[in-house]
Amino acid sequence: QVPLPYLVSASCPSALAMLSRLSSSTASRAAWVVGGGRRTFAQSAIVSTLQNKIQALAEKKTPQFTKLRKDHANAPIGEVTVGMCIGGARGVKCLLSETSLLDPMEGIRYRGRTLEECMEQLPKAVGGNVGLPEASLWLLLTDEIPTDAEVKALNEELHKRSTIPQHVLKLVDSLPKDMHPMTQLSMGLLALQPGSVFGQEYRSGTMKKTEYWKHTLEDALNLVAQISPLSSRIFRNVFFNGQHVAADPSLDWAGNYAHMLGVNDTDAFKEVTRLYLMLHADHEGGNVSAHTTHLVGSALSDPYYAYASGVCGLAGPLHGLANQECLRWLKETQKALGGQEPTVEILTKYAKDTLASGKVIPGFGHGVLRKTDPRYTIQRAFAAKHFPEDPLFKLANVCYEAIPPVLEATGKVKNPWPNVDALSGTCMQRYGLNQEDYYTVVFAVSRSLGCMANLVWSRLM
């Protein structure tokens, strides 16, 4: 039986709430073709396959949605308190999330699969062990694990769609180097908006409502294809004086992004980039970036408008900046130790002193989870395999042992365990990506996958 979407709480101000389920061939080049006075899209084989799989899943789900509306439209799903309203709708069950579910004990699930299962089941790069993030996009859209051939064709399709128009390159290249990379990314996405297929079709006046999702899918694929070269160009402009690294079409989507950043050309850096992008791809619909994208998209704003707004939400200190704050805290702690080898005893005292001074310890706790974040656990296993002697990783490992008991002893923390941000920055820095102001852009590249999949399903159902 195909599960219904997940019911989640409203956004505010960080990723919130799971609550419950409501029930238990190489691609040809996609090209513009002039016809009938307007532009239409010549569809590739892999996009046709993707559309057919999405349509087939929708046909299974539609009767369930219809029954839900008919039989349970007036059924209460919870109470709303004054405190919830004052808290910005925290904990209010009022959103549907089609693609993923945040379970308090198991962490995020992509279409019912844990991240550990996704890591195991999703296709890998040649010689790699990490589930490809572009394969997770396919999973989020179709509820199916793609074959190696499907992922290969999807990657070829994304490469073909990745061209950035000259007017966008000119704009991005003209921006001040001291402008935050997230500001530049949101501007770049808006500059790409004139190319929106959905926007052009809607303005033509001939698009039927039943076709909304197909044109949204076109935009979604284009945006995912374009966001990595756009983001890498911003990176090279700001930190490397505009010395760019050409794309490598032989690489997968995530591997090519790592390649274009140009800080480390090893297979290990490509793998850690794939890992980061896969783990951050989706996180229900209640977090700021996903909810903002969904909200703006609900006005039939096209995916470029919608995700540009989501990126602005992601730029906030309480959402996307957490990983760089965690890295900075680790560095400050390392400096405070003055060369001492970190031990549980030393870090326990340091954590107590930090709390006593009125400061917080970033990277621990979560609004929903009640155990260690599986995303942290997966990153920790990667680090232990690839760089076990890295000083920052060793410090983070001791923090994992020392800090939760200190937080738990305060009696004020529901979840004292580390979250994904506790190691993300450490993994990036290990391979030379030490420009901390750019970390949120990497997050935005990853989260585009889940936000785009959600937009497609919003227009479909």
Side-chain angles (χ1 to χ4, degrees):
Q1 190 177 35
V2 181
L4 285 167
Y6 310 121
L7 187 66
V8 302
S9 69
S11 162
C12 176
S14 58
L16 300 174
M18 149 304 170
L19 289 163
S20 58
R21 291 195 195 204
L22 293 179
S23 76
S24 285
S25 164
T26 300
S28 60
R29 181 175 178 89
W32 286 106
V33 179
V34 177
R38 62 187 181 89
R39 295 188 298 175
T40 57
F41 210 78
Q43 190 165 285
S44 69
I46 193 60
V47 175
S48 295
T49 298
L50 189 56
Q51 282 188 356
N52 290 338
K53 289 180 178 294
I54 294 170
Q55 184 72 65
L57 182 59
E59 288 172 358
K60 294 178 181 178
K61 287 177 173 287
T62 297
Q64 294 177 318
F65 274 95
T66 302
K67 180 176 175 59
L68 185 66
R69 293 191 186 100
K70 180 180 178 181
D71 297 346
H72 302 286
N74 297 316
I77 56 175
E79 296 181 352
V80 178
T81 66
V82 172
M84 288 176 172
C85 294
I86 293 174
R90 179 182 290 271
V92 176
K93 306 175 192 134
C94 60
L95 300 173
L96 291 177
S97 177
E98 171 63 31
T99 56
S100 63
L101 169 71
L102 180 55
D103 185 281
M105 301 309 297
E106 295 182 312
I108 195 70
R109 284 177 171 265
Y110 292 172
R111 290 286 185 179
R113 296 165 176 85
T114 66
L115 289 178
E116 291 87 350
E117 290 169 339
C118 290
M119 280 285 288
E120 179 183 350
Q121 297 173 17
L122 290 173
K124 319 290 191 294
V126 176
N129 296 302
V130 174
L132 290 172
E134 54 269 41
S136 70
L137 172 63
W138 186 284
L139 170 62
L140 293 171
L141 284 168
T142 68
D143 194 17
E144 292 183 13
I145 298 292
T147 65
D148 289 342
E150 287 169 337
V151 172
K152 181 177 183 294
L154 177 62
N155 265 311
E156 291 171 350
E157 182 71 18
L158 293 175
H159 279 302
K160 291 168 184 175
R161 291 170 179 258
S162 65
T163 301
I164 307 292
Q166 280 300 314
H167 76 273
V168 180
L169 297 179
K170 184 177 180 180
L171 168 68
V172 170
D173 291 349
S174 72
L175 296 176
K177 301 302 179 283
D178 59 353
M179 179 183 286
H180 197 284
M182 285 294 279
T183 309
Q184 297 192 40
L185 178 59
S186 64
M187 293 174 70
L189 289 170
L190 286 174
L192 286 168
Q193 186 279 330
S196 166
V197 178
F198 182 92
Q200 292 165 355
E201 291 297 316
Y202 191 89
R203 288 190 296 273
S204 74
T206 61
M207 181 169 60
K208 299 176 183 178
K209 190 173 182 179
T210 55
E211 298 174 340
Y212 284 0
W213 74 271
K214 291 184 178 180
H215 299 298
T216 299
L217 177 62
E218 286 295 329
D219 276 358
L221 294 174
N222 288 338
L223 188 150
V224 168
Q226 293 169 321
I227 196 169
S228 57
L230 173 63
S231 298
S232 59
R233 192 173 190 91
I234 291 168
F235 177 76
R236 299 296 298 186
N237 280 344
V238 173
F239 300 107
F240 288 88
N241 200 31
Q243 297 176 347
H244 303 294
V245 178
D248 183 350
S250 70
L251 292 170
D252 54 281
W253 177 76
N256 185 49
Y257 176 46
H259 165 75
M260 289 187 293
L261 291 176
V263 297
N264 188 317
D265 202 32
T266 65
D267 290 338
F269 179 57
K270 294 181 179 66
E271 275 286 90
V272 82
T273 302
R274 294 174 186 122
L275 181 68
Y276 184 97
L277 299 184
M278 195 282 280
L279 294 180
H280 289 77
D282 203 27
H283 209 250
E284 282 194 340
N287 64 79
V288 169
S289 53
H291 181 47
T292 304
T293 302
H294 176 77
L295 180 64
V296 173
S298 71
L300 294 187
S301 299
D302 65 59
Y304 289 95
Y305 280 131
Y307 196 56
S309 68
V311 165
C312 290
L314 189 62
L318 295 182
H319 190 17
L321 296 189
N323 59 357
Q324 69 187 62
E325 291 182 352
C326 292
L327 178 60
R328 287 171 181 169
W329 186 86
L330 279 175
K331 288 180 176 179
E332 290 169 3
T333 302
Q334 189 179 52
K335 184 178 180 180
L337 294 181
Q340 293 183 86
E341 185 73 16
T343 65
V344 171
E345 291 74 22
I346 292 174
L347 264 295
T348 296
K349 183 179 185 305
Y350 187 82
K352 289 179 178 178
D353 291 345
T354 298
L355 296 178
S357 68
K359 298 177 182 178
V360 299
I361 301 175
F364 290 79
H366 194 277
V368 179
L369 287 171
R370 295 298 175 260
K371 62 173 286 187
T372 300
D373 190 337
R375 297 173 298 176
Y376 172 89
T377 305
I378 292 171
Q379 286 186 125
R380 186 167 179 253
F382 182 94
K385 178 180 179 180
H386 292 277
F387 47 93
E389 297 304 315
D390 179 85
L392 278 179
F393 174 61
K394 290 172 70 174
L395 174 59
N397 250 346
V398 177
C399 288
Y400 177 66
E401 297 180 56
I403 292 176
V406 175
L407 295 175
E408 198 166 28
T410 66
K412 301 176 182 178
V413 180
K414 293 181 179 179
N415 173 18
W417 305 106
N419 59 50
V420 65
D421 298 312
L423 266 183
S424 297
T426 300
C427 291
M428 291 188 212
Q429 177 166 283
R430 170 65 186 182
Y431 293 102
L433 187 60
N434 51 26
Q435 296 81 2
E436 295 168 12
D437 279 346
Y438 186 75
Y439 287 0
T440 314
V441 177
V442 184
F443 195 160
V445 172
S446 172
R447 189 53 56 88
S448 68
L449 302 174
C451 287
M452 290 301 98
N454 266 298
L455 272 185
V456 171
W457 276 90
S458 294
R459 298 289 76 80
L460 180 59
M461 301 305 290

